[in-house]
Amino acid sequence: MHTSPRTPRQAARIVVLNPAGSVFLFRENNVEVGIHWLPPGGGIDPGETPEECVRRELREETGWTDLEPERLLCTWEHDFTHQGIPVRQYEHIYVTSGPHRDPVPEYPEAHWRWLSPRNLATLGEPLWPPRLAELLDEAPAEPVHLGLLA
């Protein structure tokens, strides 16, 4: 079976942990992927570094301007369709700490929640990246490359 090549797309996301260890995530639903949870983030603009991307995306999606990426947790790749184009997305996932607070989102219809580590492990809905709960529990010293995940 021949599959058409996918357009590479670079993206970055930031996992915000509150003082109790809960994770701030958005719940999204799209036709191709269905319901899934993911940290704030998105596509890296031309000329933008992954760190600049997560700062911009965090500001756009939550209104928070006072958080900085502390460390790179992992990278991973996945295939999906973005705006009608089949892409292979290469994501950088950063971690930071911040206060437990509500977002002041640019998109007020966004569905979000602070999830405890226990809730993360038993979510019952897909989580992006798929091994996020495990990685947060293990807290690896060096970034982990998860490779291409379905």
Side-chain angles (χ1 to χ4, degrees), residues 61-127:
E61 295 180 359
T62 68
W64 303 338
T65 59
D66 57 342
L67 301 180
E68 291 289 323
E70 292 171 4
R71 65 185 178 95
L72 182 64
L73 178 67
C74 68
T75 58
W76 75 299
E77 305 162 25
H78 59 104
D79 294 340
F80 73 109
T81 303
H82 176 72
Q83 298 176 346
I85 300 168
V87 299
R88 172 151 300 162
Q89 183 151 294
Y90 300 85
E91 289 195 8
H92 302 76
I93 310 294
Y94 291 88
V95 177
T96 193
S97 300
H100 185 98
R101 59 184 165 184
D102 292 353
V104 185
E106 187 172 288
Y107 309 104
E109 70 276 4
H111 184 87
W112 58 271
R113 188 175 301 156
W114 286 96
L115 294 164
S116 71
R118 189 178 66 76
N119 289 346
L120 212 56
T122 60
L123 199 52
E125 293 175 339
L127 182 60

